[in-house]
Amino acid sequence: MALSNLDCGQIHRNIFTTDTIGIAAMPPLVDFKPALLGDQGSEEDGCLGIFAGRIVAILVRSPECYDCTNSTEWYLDKGFGSCDQQGLMFSSLDAAESWIINQIIRR
C-alpha cells in the first residue's frame, strides 16, 4: 500500500469530558503520522503515535490486513515511556489511541 493512501491521520473526536470542578474539556488526542519503516527491500507501512509532541508508539499495519475488515490491523512495534511495550495488536487506530491514553494516564 502506498504511504499516501495510508489511513493514519489525526483522530478527531467530538467527545467532551468534565473535570473535577465541572468544566468541560476535550480529551487528549494522539496524532498518528504516516511513516515507512525499513529500507526499500523490506518496507512496511507504519504510524508514529505522537502525544504532547513526543513519539510514544510506533505502529505497523499488519501485512495480512490491507483489505480486511473487522480484524486486527495494527500492531505495536515499539512503545516509549509509559507505552514501553511491544507486540500488542489493535483492531484500529482508535483502539490504539485509547490504549496509549490509558497508559499515559495510569503513570
Side-chain angles (χ1 to χ4, degrees):
M1 173 177 276
L3 185 62
S4 61
N5 296 332
L6 187 60
D7 182 19
C8 192
Q10 183 173 7
I11 296 173
H12 297 282
R13 294 217 167 97
N14 292 323
I15 301 169
F16 288 87
T17 58
T18 305
D19 66 13
T20 55
I21 59 173
I23 298 173
M26 286 195 64
L29 297 177
V30 176
D31 190 26
F32 292 103
K33 299 286 185 187
L36 283 175
L37 307 174
D39 58 25
Q40 288 181 336
S42 64
E43 65 186 31
E44 297 176 279
D45 289 332
C47 288
L48 302 178
I50 301 170
F51 182 86
R54 294 190 167 99
I55 296 172
V56 295
I58 298 173
L59 296 159
V60 178
R61 184 183 293 275
S62 178
E64 300 86 36
C65 289
Y66 286 113
D67 296 317
C68 323
T69 56
N70 300 323
S71 64
T72 301
E73 291 191 32
W74 297 93
Y75 69 89
L76 180 66
D77 188 58
K78 176 70 178 139
F80 303 96
S82 300
C83 299
D84 186 15
Q85 293 189 36
Q86 289 179 292
L88 299 175
M89 304 297 284
F90 301 103
S91 61
S92 66
L93 290 176
D94 283 335
E97 180 191 41
S98 294
W99 179 83
I100 290 168
I101 291 171
N102 284 332
Q103 295 303 302
I104 292 168
I105 289 171
R106 287 212 250 133
R107 296 189 185 190

